[in-house]
């Protein structure tokens, strides 16, 4: 004789991003599909909010971030952002989003010109500065907005550092900076000024 199972009331939780439903006896946290979260954020046009800006400014003060980017692995900086894709974008750019969402390198960026090498974060175990210089080394030229898109809001400031000097073209060096930001206030500093400061600091550090 077939015995019908006793009916049991269960709660069904819909996991994120069309995963299979599974019955549970109590409510469980939903699993975050990081890749889908990143793609959704990009499809929405990478919206910026006051809350995201507040968190970013609190976690990534330029002076402190300057120390972190040359001493802390990219992976650790990513963890500091939590699961906030807007903060990741502001702090680590599209490459940070790609690393977070386990997406192909360069799959989320807008390339303004052909021939750009999307080196991404060469290694998540290296510091951010090493990856940034690697990008400069592999590309003959690029715009400031491209740097900021790929490496975050502070990226254009890093050209004004002694360690970037060897990568920035004055005559025959490797990377030619194209200033396309237009705004000379705050972080949006003119490319010529960035180069001039990099040269000055390099000379001060090596010949004084």
């Amino acid at each position: 004789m077939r015995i019908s199972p006793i009916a049991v009331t269960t709660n069904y939780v819909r996991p994120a991003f069309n995963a299979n439903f599974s019955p549970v006896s109590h409510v469980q946290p939903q699993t975050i599909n990081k890749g889908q979260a990143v793609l959704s954020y990009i499809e929405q046009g990478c919206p910026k909010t006051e809350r995201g800006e507040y968190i970013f400014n609190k976690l990534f003060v330029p002076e402190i971030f300057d120390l972190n980017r040359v001493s802390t692995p990219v992976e650790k900086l990513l963890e500091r952002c939590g699961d906030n894709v807007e903060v990741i974008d502001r702090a680590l750019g599209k490459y940070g989003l790609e690393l977070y969402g386990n997406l192909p390198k360069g799959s989320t960026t807008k390339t303004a010109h052909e021939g750009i090498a999307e080196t991404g974060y060469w290694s998540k175990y290296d510091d951010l500065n090493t990856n940034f210089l690697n990008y400069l080394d592999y590309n003959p030229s690029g715009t400031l907005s491209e740097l900021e898109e790929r490496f975050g809001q502070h990226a254009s400031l890093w050209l004004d550092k002694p360690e970037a000097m060897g990568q920035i073209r004055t005559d025959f060096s490797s990377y030619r900076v194209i200033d396309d930001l237009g705004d000379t206030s705050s972080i949006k500093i003119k490319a010529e000024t960035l180069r001039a400061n990099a040269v000055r600091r390099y000379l001060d550090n090596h010949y004084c």
Side-chain angles (χ1 to χ4, degrees), residues 14-164:
R14 180 192 295 269
F17 308 110
N18 301 321
N20 293 327
F21 298 166
S22 58
V24 293
S25 58
H26 61 281
V27 177
Q28 295 177 338
Q30 296 186 14
T31 301
I32 299 174
N33 187 317
K34 296 179 179 180
Q36 286 296 330
V38 170
L39 294 177
S40 176
Y41 170 74
I42 292 173
E43 288 172 1
Q44 295 172 32
C46 302
K48 298 296 186 286
T49 65
E50 291 184 3
R51 177 63 179 168
E53 182 177 14
Y54 171 79
I55 296 173
F56 167 70
N57 289 334
K58 185 176 181 180
L59 293 178
F60 297 98
V61 179
E63 292 77 10
I64 299 175
F65 195 30
D66 249 4
L67 300 176
N68 293 154
R69 72 185 177 82
V70 297
S71 61
T72 306
V74 172
E75 188 178 39
K76 295 297 183 183
L77 295 176
L78 186 63
E79 289 175 2
R80 188 179 302 176
C81 298
D83 291 315
N84 190 318
V85 291
E86 180 187 349
V87 174
I88 294 171
D89 188 19
R90 288 177 179 273
L92 300 172
K94 293 290 180 59
Y95 284 161
L97 289 175
E98 291 165 5
L99 180 60
Y100 172 76
N102 195 28
L103 300 171
K105 295 178 182 178
S107 63
T108 65
T109 55
K110 298 178 181 178
T111 302
H113 58 279
E114 295 182 3
I116 197 166
E118 298 289 4
T119 59
Y121 288 134
W122 209 12
S123 169
K124 64 181 179 180
Y125 305 110
D126 283 332
D127 58 73
L128 183 56
N129 194 57
T130 297
N131 286 280
F132 178 71
L133 294 182
N134 172 66
Y135 177 87
L136 298 186
D137 189 52
Y138 271 75
N139 290 286
S141 66
T143 65
L144 295 180
S145 62
E146 285 171 346
L147 293 180
E148 291 192 359
E149 180 189 21
R150 286 158 175 78
F151 290 95
Q153 289 185 202
H154 292 333
S156 63
L157 285 178
W158 304 340
L159 294 174
D160 185 18
K161 304 297 174 184
E163 64 270 16

